[in-house]
């Protein structure tokens, strides 16, 4: 696939630098710019030669040093594909470095990765993550630090990005580097009702879920992890006895 098949946000088919063109291409908004010094350091390319063909020439494409006058159209397309693949794999390594985390922090603050669609997460900013560090296994997913669940990107362009370009370690490294960004875990959940009353069959499941929620809250508090209480709070009296009965049944 050649450059002409991509559309840049700048409404220009070509930009002066390859990295600028790549980042300006629609669908590549999740990526940050990688320092050229990082890409040209052979140590950072260890193990990638088996995944990408003609790595030296792919680097020349990325760094705008390739002499392509004598190349055929097919050769240019092959090198362009290799360059995008190499950039993605190097990107997964770069974003867990100190400088890479800082760049992704700015994108996170700007909500470049979107918001959590869960209502009780209240538009929590998301983080990209891969389900595998190997290419061709799974597309990129979005991780919500609040509900700790994964979501598919809303845009079809983003859904085609390989998850290996972000790796499996990024969200964990990001939240360790910036612990002040770890949100309070929500405990609110939606319970369907009919005229204000819980549905009979669902009520049994709901009570069991409530018991599990209380257990999770206790474990989090024991681990000194902040937890926001739900609107229902803890049960007392007869309700507490019922919970103990439920615990005997379900545990």
């Amino acid at each position: 696939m050649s450059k002409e098949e991509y559309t840049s946000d700048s409404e220009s088919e070509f930009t002066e630098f390859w990295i600028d063109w790549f980042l300006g291409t629609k669908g590549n908004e999740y990526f940050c710019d990688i320092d050229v010094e990082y890409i040209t350091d052979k140590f950072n390319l260890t193990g990638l030669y088996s995944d990408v063909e003609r790595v030296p020439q792919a680097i020349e494409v990325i760094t705008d040093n390739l002499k392509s006058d004598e190349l055929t159209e097919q050769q240019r397309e092959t090198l362009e594909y290799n360059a995008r693949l190499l950039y993605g794999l190097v990107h997964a390594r770069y974003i867990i470095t100190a400088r890479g985390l800082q760049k992704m922090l700015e994108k996170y603050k700007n909500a470049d990765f979107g918001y959590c669609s869960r209502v009780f997460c209240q538009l929590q900013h998301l983080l990209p993550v891969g389900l595998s560090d190997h290419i061709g296994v799974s597309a990129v997913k979005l991780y919500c630090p609040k509900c700790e669940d994964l979501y598919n990107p809303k845009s079809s362009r983003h859904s085609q990005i390989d998850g290996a370009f972000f790796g499996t370690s990024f969200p964990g490294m990001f939240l360790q580097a910036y612990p002040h960004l770890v949100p309070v875990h929500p405990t609110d959940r939606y319970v369907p009702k009919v005229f204000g009353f819980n549905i009979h069959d669902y009520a049994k499941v709901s009570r069991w879920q409530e018991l599990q929620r209380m257990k999770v809250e206790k474990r989090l508090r024991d681990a000194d992890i902040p937890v926001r209480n739900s609107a229902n709070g803890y049960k007392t009296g007869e309700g507490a006895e019922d919970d103990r009965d439920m615990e005997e049944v379900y545990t």
Side-chain angles (χ1 to χ4, degrees):
M1 190 172 291
S2 62
K3 283 187 179 181
E4 289 81 352
E5 296 179 74
Y6 286 83
T7 303
S8 173
D9 289 336
S10 63
E11 298 183 356
S12 174
E13 288 187 349
F14 299 99
T15 56
E16 184 177 358
F17 303 105
W18 187 92
I19 293 180
D20 292 338
W21 164 81
F22 179 82
L23 296 177
T25 300
K26 289 184 178 179
N28 288 346
E29 293 83 2
Y30 289 177
F31 292 92
C32 71
D33 63 298
I34 305 176
D35 297 329
V36 174
E37 295 79 8
Y38 188 90
I39 299 176
T40 56
D41 189 336
K42 292 184 178 180
F43 178 79
N44 300 323
L45 305 176
T46 302
L48 298 183
Y49 288 81
S50 59
D51 294 322
V52 183
E53 298 179 356
R54 299 182 179 182
V55 170
Q57 287 182 296
I59 293 177
E60 290 180 352
V61 173
I62 295 173
T63 58
D64 305 294
N65 292 318
L66 180 67
K67 306 299 182 182
S68 59
D69 296 339
E70 299 180 357
L71 297 177
T72 64
E73 183 65 25
Q74 183 176 0
Q75 289 174 328
R76 288 196 189 94
E77 292 181 1
T78 300
L79 287 177
E80 188 66 44
Y81 170 81
N82 292 340
R84 294 195 301 271
L85 181 59
L86 179 63
Y87 190 93
L89 293 174
V90 174
H91 183 269
R93 299 181 176 187
Y94 179 74
I95 60 177
I96 58 176
T97 65
R99 185 164 173 79
L101 286 169
Q102 184 64 38
K103 292 183 178 181
M104 295 297 276
L105 172 62
E106 295 303 317
K107 297 179 71 64
Y108 172 79
K109 289 180 177 179
N110 295 331
D112 288 351
F113 312 117
Y115 305 91
C116 182
S117 58
R118 185 175 183 267
V119 173
F120 291 125
C121 283
Q122 300 176 336
L123 299 178
Q124 168 66 40
H125 293 193
L126 300 173
L127 291 167
V129 64
L131 300 181
S132 174
D133 292 316
H134 302 286
I135 57 175
V137 176
S138 177
V140 66
K141 306 299 179 184
L142 296 173
Y143 171 74
C144 174
K146 202 168 216 180
C147 65
E148 298 183 328
D149 210 344
L150 295 179
Y151 300 88
N152 290 316
K154 293 183 178 180
S155 171
S156 58
R157 290 191 181 95
H158 297 151
S159 299
Q160 297 175 4
I161 301 175
D162 199 303
F165 295 165
F166 296 89
T168 58
S169 303
F170 170 65
M173 292 288 290
F174 183 87
L175 295 175
Q176 282 190 349
Y178 308 106
H180 63 283
L181 294 179
V182 177
V184 176
H185 297 278
T187 55
D188 299 325
R189 60 185 178 83
Y190 172 73
V191 178
K193 297 182 179 181
V194 176
F195 299 113
F197 297 95
N198 289 354
I199 302 175
H200 178 69
D201 290 338
Y202 185 86
K204 298 178 182 178
V205 179
S206 177
R207 293 177 62 187
W208 176 82
Q209 291 176 335
E210 182 71 10
L211 175 62
Q212 303 309 308
R213 180 191 63 77
M214 293 170 63
K215 289 181 178 180
V216 170
E217 284 187 354
K218 184 178 183 303
R219 288 199 297 268
L220 291 175
R221 287 192 173 86
D222 292 341
D224 294 328
I225 299 176
V227 179
R228 178 169 55 83
N229 287 331
S230 64
N232 294 331
Y234 289 100
K235 296 181 180 179
T236 58
E238 183 179 354
E241 294 177 359
D242 292 341
D243 283 338
R244 286 194 290 271
D245 294 339
M246 294 293 287
E247 183 174 2
E248 293 177 358
V249 173
Y250 289 103
T251 60

